[in-house]
Amino acid sequence: MNKKVVALVLCVFMFAALATGCGESKKFVNIATGGTTGTYFPLGGALADIWNKNIKGMNATAQSTGASVANVNLLRDGKVEVIFVQNDIAYYAANGTESFKDKKYEEIRGFATLYPENIQIVTRADKGINTLADLKGKKIAVGAAGSGTEANARQILEAAGITYNDITVQYLSFGEAANNLKDGNIDAAFVTAGYPTAAISDIAAQHKIVLIPVDDATADKLIQKYPFYAKDTIPANTYKDQTTEVKGVAVMAMLAVSSKMDEKTAYSLIKTMYENQERLKAAHAKGALIKPETGKKGMGIKLHPGAEKFFNEQKK
Protein backbone atom coordinates (compact mmCIF):
# COMPACT_ATOMS: atom_id res chain seq x y z
CA MET A 1 0.00 0.00 0.00
CA ASN A 2 2.79 2.41 0.92
CA LYS A 3 4.52 1.74 -2.38
CA LYS A 4 1.33 2.66 -4.25
CA VAL A 5 1.02 5.91 -2.30
CA VAL A 6 4.67 6.77 -2.96
CA ALA A 7 4.24 6.03 -6.67
CA LEU A 8 1.11 8.18 -6.79
CA VAL A 9 2.87 11.06 -5.05
CA LEU A 10 5.82 10.79 -7.44
CA CYS A 11 3.46 10.86 -10.43
CA VAL A 12 1.77 13.98 -9.08
CA PHE A 13 5.13 15.72 -8.61
CA MET A 14 6.31 14.69 -12.06
CA PHE A 15 3.11 15.99 -13.65
CA ALA A 16 3.42 19.28 -11.76
CA ALA A 17 7.04 19.64 -12.81
CA LEU A 18 6.18 18.99 -16.44
CA ALA A 19 3.30 21.47 -16.30
CA THR A 20 5.53 24.09 -14.72
CA GLY A 21 8.21 23.47 -17.31
CA CYS A 22 5.71 23.92 -20.12
CA GLY A 23 4.46 27.14 -18.58
CA GLU A 24 7.97 28.52 -18.33
CA SER A 25 8.84 27.64 -21.95
CA LYS A 26 5.81 29.45 -23.36
CA LYS A 27 6.50 33.08 -24.22
CA PHE A 28 3.53 35.40 -24.66
CA VAL A 29 4.24 38.53 -26.69
CA ASN A 30 1.44 40.98 -27.38
CA ILE A 31 2.20 43.47 -30.17
CA ALA A 32 0.41 46.84 -30.15
CA THR A 33 0.01 48.14 -33.70
CA GLY A 34 -2.44 50.82 -34.89
CA GLY A 35 -5.67 51.16 -36.85
CA THR A 36 -6.57 48.39 -39.31
CA THR A 37 -6.18 50.74 -42.31
CA GLY A 38 -2.68 51.93 -41.38
CA THR A 39 0.76 50.39 -41.94
CA TYR A 40 1.47 49.16 -38.39
CA PHE A 41 -1.37 46.63 -38.41
CA PRO A 42 -0.27 44.40 -41.33
CA LEU A 43 3.38 44.58 -40.26
CA GLY A 44 2.41 43.65 -36.70
CA GLY A 45 0.53 40.64 -38.01
CA ALA A 46 3.61 39.63 -40.01
CA LEU A 47 5.83 39.96 -36.93
CA ALA A 48 3.52 37.73 -34.90
CA ASP A 49 3.59 35.17 -37.71
CA ILE A 50 7.40 35.30 -37.97
CA TRP A 51 7.95 34.89 -34.25
CA ASN A 52 5.36 32.12 -33.84
CA LYS A 53 6.83 30.07 -36.68
CA ASN A 54 10.51 30.55 -35.85
CA ILE A 55 10.84 30.84 -32.06
CA LYS A 56 10.14 27.74 -29.99
CA GLY A 57 7.33 28.17 -27.47
CA MET A 58 6.37 31.62 -28.81
CA ASN A 59 2.77 32.81 -28.65
CA ALA A 60 2.72 36.23 -30.31
CA THR A 61 -0.41 38.17 -31.21
CA ALA A 62 -0.92 41.55 -32.87
CA GLN A 63 -3.75 43.82 -31.81
CA SER A 64 -5.30 46.92 -33.37
CA THR A 65 -4.90 50.02 -31.18
CA GLY A 66 -5.03 53.81 -31.22
CA ALA A 67 -1.35 53.75 -32.33
CA SER A 68 1.67 55.61 -30.90
CA VAL A 69 0.50 57.37 -27.72
CA ALA A 70 -1.96 54.64 -26.80
CA ASN A 71 0.74 52.03 -27.40
CA VAL A 72 3.21 53.71 -25.02
CA ASN A 73 0.54 53.66 -22.31
CA LEU A 74 -0.21 49.99 -22.99
CA LEU A 75 3.51 49.22 -22.66
CA ARG A 76 3.76 51.23 -19.43
CA ASP A 77 0.77 49.33 -18.01
CA GLY A 78 2.32 45.96 -18.87
CA LYS A 79 -0.53 45.03 -21.23
CA VAL A 80 1.74 44.53 -24.25
CA GLU A 81 5.39 43.59 -24.76
CA VAL A 82 6.23 45.19 -28.13
CA ILE A 83 4.84 48.41 -29.60
CA PHE A 84 4.89 50.24 -32.90
CA VAL A 85 5.49 53.93 -32.22
CA GLN A 86 6.72 57.05 -33.96
CA ASN A 87 10.23 58.14 -32.93
CA ASP A 88 8.92 61.55 -31.90
CA ILE A 89 6.34 60.04 -29.53
CA ALA A 90 8.93 57.67 -28.04
CA TYR A 91 11.14 60.71 -27.45
CA TYR A 92 8.29 62.61 -25.74
CA ALA A 93 7.60 59.62 -23.47
CA ALA A 94 11.23 59.07 -22.47
CA ASN A 95 11.71 62.77 -21.73
CA GLY A 96 8.30 63.66 -20.29
CA THR A 97 7.38 66.30 -22.87
CA GLU A 98 4.43 67.10 -25.17
CA SER A 99 1.71 64.44 -24.78
CA PHE A 100 3.74 62.92 -21.93
CA LYS A 101 4.29 66.07 -19.92
CA ASP A 102 4.22 65.04 -16.24
CA LYS A 103 3.89 61.39 -17.42
CA LYS A 104 7.52 60.54 -18.11
CA TYR A 105 8.12 56.88 -18.92
CA GLU A 106 11.80 56.21 -18.26
CA GLU A 107 11.56 52.44 -18.83
CA ILE A 108 10.77 52.67 -22.54
CA ARG A 109 13.58 51.22 -24.66
CA GLY A 110 14.29 51.34 -28.36
CA PHE A 111 14.12 48.05 -30.26
CA ALA A 112 14.57 49.06 -33.91
CA THR A 113 13.67 51.90 -36.24
CA LEU A 114 11.84 50.65 -39.30
CA TYR A 115 11.08 53.17 -42.08
CA PRO A 116 10.15 56.83 -42.64
CA GLU A 117 6.54 57.69 -41.82
CA ASN A 118 5.41 60.51 -44.05
CA ILE A 119 2.91 63.00 -42.77
CA GLN A 120 0.45 62.85 -45.66
CA ILE A 121 -2.12 65.64 -45.91
CA VAL A 122 -4.91 64.47 -48.18
CA THR A 123 -7.93 66.23 -49.63
CA ARG A 124 -10.31 65.73 -52.52
CA ALA A 125 -9.56 67.62 -55.74
CA ASP A 126 -13.06 69.12 -55.72
CA LYS A 127 -12.38 70.83 -52.37
CA GLY A 128 -10.08 73.42 -53.98
CA ILE A 129 -7.36 73.00 -51.34
CA ASN A 130 -3.80 73.02 -52.71
CA THR A 131 -1.61 74.57 -49.99
CA LEU A 132 -1.36 74.55 -46.22
CA ALA A 133 -2.70 78.12 -46.17
CA ASP A 134 -5.87 76.87 -47.89
CA LEU A 135 -6.68 74.77 -44.80
CA LYS A 136 -7.77 77.85 -42.85
CA GLY A 137 -11.49 77.83 -42.14
CA LYS A 138 -11.85 74.18 -43.15
CA LYS A 139 -12.87 70.98 -41.33
CA ILE A 140 -9.65 69.05 -40.83
CA ALA A 141 -9.13 65.53 -39.43
CA VAL A 142 -5.94 65.75 -37.36
CA GLY A 143 -5.81 62.14 -36.14
CA ALA A 144 -7.22 60.45 -33.06
CA ALA A 145 -7.10 62.58 -29.92
CA GLY A 146 -3.66 62.37 -28.30
CA SER A 147 -2.21 60.33 -31.16
CA GLY A 148 1.16 60.79 -32.84
CA THR A 149 -0.61 61.99 -35.96
CA GLU A 150 -2.39 64.68 -33.97
CA ALA A 151 0.93 65.97 -32.62
CA ASN A 152 2.35 66.03 -36.17
CA ALA A 153 -0.69 67.91 -37.49
CA ARG A 154 -0.52 70.53 -34.75
CA GLN A 155 3.24 71.07 -35.19
CA ILE A 156 3.08 71.35 -38.99
CA LEU A 157 0.15 73.74 -38.86
CA GLU A 158 2.02 75.79 -36.26
CA ALA A 159 5.05 76.03 -38.57
CA ALA A 160 2.70 77.20 -41.32
CA GLY A 161 1.25 79.91 -39.07
CA ILE A 162 -2.05 78.09 -38.46
CA THR A 163 -3.55 77.20 -35.07
CA TYR A 164 -6.49 75.00 -34.16
CA ASN A 165 -8.49 78.20 -33.75
CA ASP A 166 -8.13 78.73 -37.51
CA ILE A 167 -9.72 75.40 -38.45
CA THR A 168 -12.54 73.11 -37.33
CA VAL A 169 -10.68 70.23 -35.70
CA GLN A 170 -11.95 66.69 -36.16
CA TYR A 171 -10.26 64.01 -34.03
CA LEU A 172 -10.58 60.97 -36.28
CA SER A 173 -8.67 57.74 -36.87
CA PHE A 174 -7.35 57.01 -40.37
CA GLY A 175 -10.37 54.86 -41.23
CA GLU A 176 -12.85 57.38 -39.87
CA ALA A 177 -11.09 60.22 -41.71
CA ALA A 178 -11.19 58.28 -44.98
CA ASN A 179 -14.91 57.61 -44.68
CA ASN A 180 -15.69 61.21 -43.77
CA LEU A 181 -13.57 62.60 -46.59
CA LYS A 182 -15.25 60.25 -49.09
CA ASP A 183 -18.64 61.43 -47.86
CA GLY A 184 -17.62 65.10 -47.96
CA ASN A 185 -18.09 65.64 -44.22
CA ILE A 186 -14.53 66.95 -43.81
CA ASP A 187 -12.22 68.87 -46.13
CA ALA A 188 -8.80 67.32 -45.49
CA ALA A 189 -7.04 64.81 -43.25
CA PHE A 190 -3.59 64.29 -41.77
CA VAL A 191 -2.34 60.70 -42.02
CA THR A 192 1.06 59.73 -40.60
CA ALA A 193 1.98 56.37 -42.05
CA GLY A 194 4.22 54.68 -44.55
CA TYR A 195 2.98 55.12 -48.08
CA PRO A 196 0.98 53.76 -49.79
CA THR A 197 -1.53 53.94 -46.94
CA ALA A 198 -4.72 51.88 -47.27
CA ALA A 199 -6.90 54.72 -45.94
CA ILE A 200 -5.70 57.11 -48.68
CA SER A 201 -5.82 54.46 -51.40
CA ASP A 202 -9.42 53.86 -50.35
CA ILE A 203 -10.30 57.53 -50.91
CA ALA A 204 -8.42 57.64 -54.22
CA ALA A 205 -10.43 54.65 -55.49
CA GLN A 206 -13.59 56.79 -55.37
CA HIS A 207 -12.41 60.40 -55.75
CA LYS A 208 -9.53 62.27 -57.35
CA ILE A 209 -7.27 63.26 -54.47
CA VAL A 210 -4.71 65.99 -53.83
CA LEU A 211 -1.74 65.55 -51.48
CA ILE A 212 -0.95 68.95 -49.95
CA PRO A 213 2.81 69.68 -49.93
CA VAL A 214 4.84 71.01 -47.03
CA ASP A 215 6.97 73.72 -48.66
CA ASP A 216 10.69 74.04 -47.87
CA ALA A 217 10.33 77.19 -45.77
CA THR A 218 7.69 75.57 -43.54
CA ALA A 219 9.70 72.34 -43.34
CA ASP A 220 12.86 74.24 -42.31
CA LYS A 221 10.97 76.10 -39.59
CA LEU A 222 9.45 72.83 -38.36
CA ILE A 223 12.77 70.95 -38.26
CA GLN A 224 14.49 73.82 -36.45
CA LYS A 225 12.05 73.44 -33.55
CA TYR A 226 11.46 69.68 -33.78
CA PRO A 227 14.70 68.00 -34.98
CA PHE A 228 13.20 64.50 -35.20
CA TYR A 229 11.50 65.51 -38.47
CA ALA A 230 13.19 65.10 -41.84
CA LYS A 231 12.33 66.32 -45.32
CA ASP A 232 11.01 63.59 -47.59
CA THR A 233 8.91 63.21 -50.73
CA ILE A 234 6.00 61.01 -51.74
CA PRO A 235 6.85 59.66 -55.21
CA ALA A 236 4.59 60.20 -58.21
CA ASN A 237 2.03 57.46 -58.81
CA THR A 238 2.00 56.35 -55.19
CA TYR A 239 -1.76 56.78 -55.41
CA LYS A 240 -4.24 56.67 -58.30
CA ASP A 241 -4.03 59.77 -60.55
CA GLN A 242 -1.19 61.28 -58.45
CA THR A 243 1.14 62.14 -61.32
CA THR A 244 3.77 64.29 -59.56
CA GLU A 245 5.93 63.83 -56.48
CA VAL A 246 4.89 65.73 -53.37
CA LYS A 247 7.30 67.43 -50.96
CA GLY A 248 6.71 66.79 -47.31
CA VAL A 249 8.19 65.76 -43.97
CA ALA A 250 8.50 62.46 -42.15
CA VAL A 251 9.25 60.92 -38.77
CA MET A 252 10.51 57.34 -38.24
CA ALA A 253 8.36 54.35 -37.40
CA MET A 254 10.02 52.21 -34.76
CA LEU A 255 9.51 49.33 -32.37
CA ALA A 256 9.91 49.81 -28.63
CA VAL A 257 9.85 47.52 -25.61
CA SER A 258 10.12 47.84 -21.85
CA SER A 259 13.44 47.72 -20.01
CA LYS A 260 11.84 44.82 -18.09
CA MET A 261 12.02 42.51 -21.12
CA ASP A 262 14.89 40.08 -20.60
CA GLU A 263 17.91 40.41 -22.89
CA LYS A 264 17.67 36.88 -24.30
CA THR A 265 14.05 37.35 -25.42
CA ALA A 266 14.72 40.75 -26.96
CA TYR A 267 17.75 39.44 -28.85
CA SER A 268 15.81 36.46 -30.17
CA LEU A 269 12.91 38.64 -31.32
CA ILE A 270 15.01 41.18 -33.20
CA LYS A 271 17.32 38.60 -34.78
CA THR A 272 14.37 36.54 -36.01
CA MET A 273 12.62 39.62 -37.38
CA TYR A 274 15.58 40.60 -39.55
CA GLU A 275 16.09 37.01 -40.72
CA ASN A 276 12.58 36.95 -42.21
CA GLN A 277 12.40 40.14 -44.24
CA GLU A 278 10.54 38.46 -47.11
CA ARG A 279 7.54 37.93 -44.83
CA LEU A 280 7.59 41.62 -43.88
CA LYS A 281 7.76 42.63 -47.55
CA ALA A 282 4.79 40.40 -48.29
CA ALA A 283 2.77 42.15 -45.58
CA HIS A 284 3.44 45.72 -46.78
CA ALA A 285 5.73 47.49 -49.23
CA LYS A 286 7.43 49.23 -46.28
CA GLY A 287 8.72 45.84 -45.15
CA ALA A 288 11.46 46.17 -47.76
CA LEU A 289 12.91 49.09 -45.79
CA ILE A 290 13.24 47.16 -42.52
CA LYS A 291 16.96 46.35 -42.54
CA PRO A 292 19.62 45.96 -39.81
CA GLU A 293 21.81 48.67 -41.35
CA THR A 294 19.10 51.30 -40.77
CA GLY A 295 17.78 49.84 -37.52
CA LYS A 296 19.20 52.64 -35.37
CA LYS A 297 18.51 55.56 -37.73
CA GLY A 298 16.59 58.26 -35.85
CA MET A 299 16.77 56.31 -32.58
CA GLY A 300 16.24 59.05 -30.01
CA ILE A 301 15.89 56.87 -26.90
CA LYS A 302 18.01 54.27 -25.09
CA LEU A 303 18.38 50.93 -26.86
CA HIS A 304 17.31 47.74 -25.11
CA PRO A 305 20.43 45.64 -24.26
CA GLY A 306 19.12 42.73 -26.36
CA ALA A 307 18.80 44.97 -29.40
CA GLU A 308 22.15 46.58 -28.68
CA LYS A 309 23.79 43.14 -28.61
CA PHE A 310 22.29 42.33 -32.03
CA PHE A 311 23.36 45.60 -33.65
CA ASN A 312 26.88 45.31 -32.20
CA GLU A 313 27.18 41.90 -33.84
CA GLN A 314 26.37 43.45 -37.22
CA LYS A 315 29.52 45.57 -37.03
CA LYS A 316 31.81 42.51 -36.85
Side-chain angles (χ1 to χ4, degrees):
M1 185 69 180
N2 287 340
K3 288 182 179 180
K4 288 182 180 179
V5 171
V6 170
L8 182 62
V9 170
L10 285 172
C11 284
V12 169
F13 274 111
M14 285 175 67
F15 179 79
L18 284 169
T20 302
C22 290
E24 287 177 347
S25 65
K26 202 73 174 174
K27 281 282 184 185
F28 291 91
V29 173
N30 293 311
I31 308 163
T33 63
T36 55
T37 58
T39 310
Y40 291 170
F41 186 73
L43 287 175
L47 274 183
D49 188 43
I50 288 168
W51 292 338
N52 286 334
K53 288 179 177 176
N54 296 282
I55 300 176
K56 188 177 179 181
M58 176 58 63
N59 187 336
T61 56
Q63 63 187 70
S64 175
T65 69
S68 292
V69 173
N71 290 352
V72 171
N73 289 326
L74 287 169
L75 186 66
R76 185 205 301 266
D77 294 342
K79 295 179 179 177
V80 297
E81 284 70 44
V82 178
I83 65 170
F84 282 77
V85 62
Q86 292 170 205
N87 66 339
D88 52 338
I89 301 303
Y91 178 87
Y92 300 153
N95 292 279
T97 58
E98 269 285 343
S99 45
F100 289 91
K101 189 176 182 181
D102 302 322
K103 294 183 290 182
K104 190 174 182 180
Y105 178 36
E106 294 182 357
E107 286 76 34
I108 189 170
R109 293 292 181 269
F111 196 62
T113 51
L114 306 176
Y115 57 84
E117 285 202 285
N118 293 72
I119 294 85
Q120 303 168 75
I121 312 166
V122 61
T123 182
R124 284 169 33 173
D126 59 6
K127 292 289 184 179
I129 300 171
N130 296 293
T131 67
L132 288 170
D134 294 337
L135 294 175
K136 285 188 176 182
K138 301 295 194 296
K139 289 182 180 179
I140 313 298
V142 296
S147 67
T149 299
E150 189 276 323
N152 299 146
R154 179 164 32 83
Q155 291 160 1
I156 290 169
L157 290 170
E158 174 193 32
I162 301 170
T163 71
Y164 278 3
N165 292 329
D166 299 318
I167 63 174
T168 301
V169 175
Q170 304 289 309
Y171 295 103
L172 302 173
S173 69
F174 296 168
E176 291 169 337
N179 289 332
N180 277 273
L181 194 53
K182 283 188 294 185
D183 295 340
N185 297 326
I186 61 172
D187 300 303
F190 281 79
V191 176
T192 301
Y195 58 76
T197 305
I200 297 178
S201 296
D202 187 32
I203 303 164
Q206 295 186 26
H207 301 277
K208 184 173 174 57
I209 65 166
V210 171
L211 293 177
I212 302 165
V214 177
D215 60 272
D216 286 335
T218 301
D220 289 339
K221 187 176 180 182
L222 178 74
I223 294 166
Q224 186 175 11
K225 185 169 183 179
Y226 304 103
F228 42 74
Y229 284 102
K231 290 182 181 180
D232 203 356
T233 59
I234 300 170
N237 303 310
T238 296
Y239 299 106
K240 183 183 176 184
D241 297 326
Q242 179 224 333
T243 56
T244 58
E245 72 173 20
V246 180
K247 286 185 176 183
V249 291
V251 291
M252 290 295 291
M254 64 179 286
L255 295 175
V257 297
S258 168
S259 62
K260 296 175 184 177
M261 178 180 281
D262 67 274
E263 184 176 328
K264 185 178 178 182
T265 297
Y267 176 82
S268 177
L269 291 176
I270 194 167
K271 185 174 186 290
T272 307
M273 176 183 78
Y274 283 122
E275 287 174 346
N276 291 273
Q277 190 187 19
E278 289 303 313
R279 178 65 182 88
L280 295 172
K281 286 165 67 176
H284 194 281
K286 288 297 179 187
L289 301 178
I290 301 174
K291 301 175 182 179
E293 53 265 37
T294 57
K296 294 197 293 182
K297 182 181 179 182
M299 181 66 70
I301 62 173
K302 289 181 183 177
L303 262 181
H304 188 283
E308 192 165 18
K309 178 184 176 183
F310 173 81
F311 287 120
N312 286 340
E313 286 179 354
Q314 306 313 299
K315 299 174 184 177
K316 296 175 182 177

